[in-house]
Amino acid sequence: MRAVIQRVTKASVTIENKKVASINSGLLILVGIVNEDTKEDIEWLTKKIANLRIFNDENNVMNKSLLDVNGDAIIVSQFTLHASTKKGNRPSYIIAAKPDVAIPLYEQFVSSFETVLKKKVQTGEFGADMKVELLNDGPVTIIIDTKDKK
């Protein structure tokens, strides 16, 4: 699993002119899934993101996690995170998992994140044409891949 985590002061997802998700302070998490992803990837990534110390403490130092600040999250599926641009100018998405594999893993990731946060996590809609708006706070943007664990 590959995730792009953005600390936001606000974020929203709109589908067909209808706002389906909206948060204030928290994280916008874009997640891409490949066939090899497992429950272990989900659990590792969930804990890693929820505990990332990327929110400011009272001294204005990034020393608090999403859990510490009781922040909200929006999770959006994004197969393009697995784009290969090695050959030519048209990205290839061949390693991105097809919906029959990706949807159950995406839903498990959302559920796992809700369990760790102990509250509802907002989402986009898998496979939909989504308009994602955000105000990146910092800016703070972090990329994590469970295959690299860096």
Side-chain angles (χ1 to χ4, degrees), residues 12-78:
S12 65
V13 178
T14 302
I15 302 171
E16 295 180 6
N17 295 317
K18 181 181 177 199
K19 194 172 282 191
V20 298
S22 180
I23 63 168
N24 288 315
S25 181
L27 298 177
L28 172 65
I29 303 163
L30 308 174
V31 63
I33 297 166
V34 295
N35 288 326
E36 296 76 25
D37 288 330
T38 65
K39 182 176 174 129
E40 289 74 27
D41 291 305
I42 291 168
E43 290 170 0
W44 183 86
L45 188 59
T46 298
K47 288 177 185 164
K48 180 59 81 174
I49 293 171
N51 289 290
L52 280 176
R53 294 178 2 187
I54 58 174
F55 290 89
N56 293 343
D57 64 14
E58 56 282 347
N59 297 315
N60 211 26
V61 175
M62 286 195 289
N63 203 26
K64 292 191 173 193
S65 70
L66 186 64
L67 290 167
D68 295 332
V69 300
N70 195 31
D72 293 316
I74 297 177
I75 300 175
V76 176
S77 63
Q78 189 170 356

Side-chain angles (χ1 to χ4, degrees), residues 135-148:
L135 183 57
N136 194 315
D137 183 18
V140 174
T141 301
I142 297 172
I143 301 169
I144 300 176
D145 194 312
T146 60
K147 302 306 182 242
D148 293 334

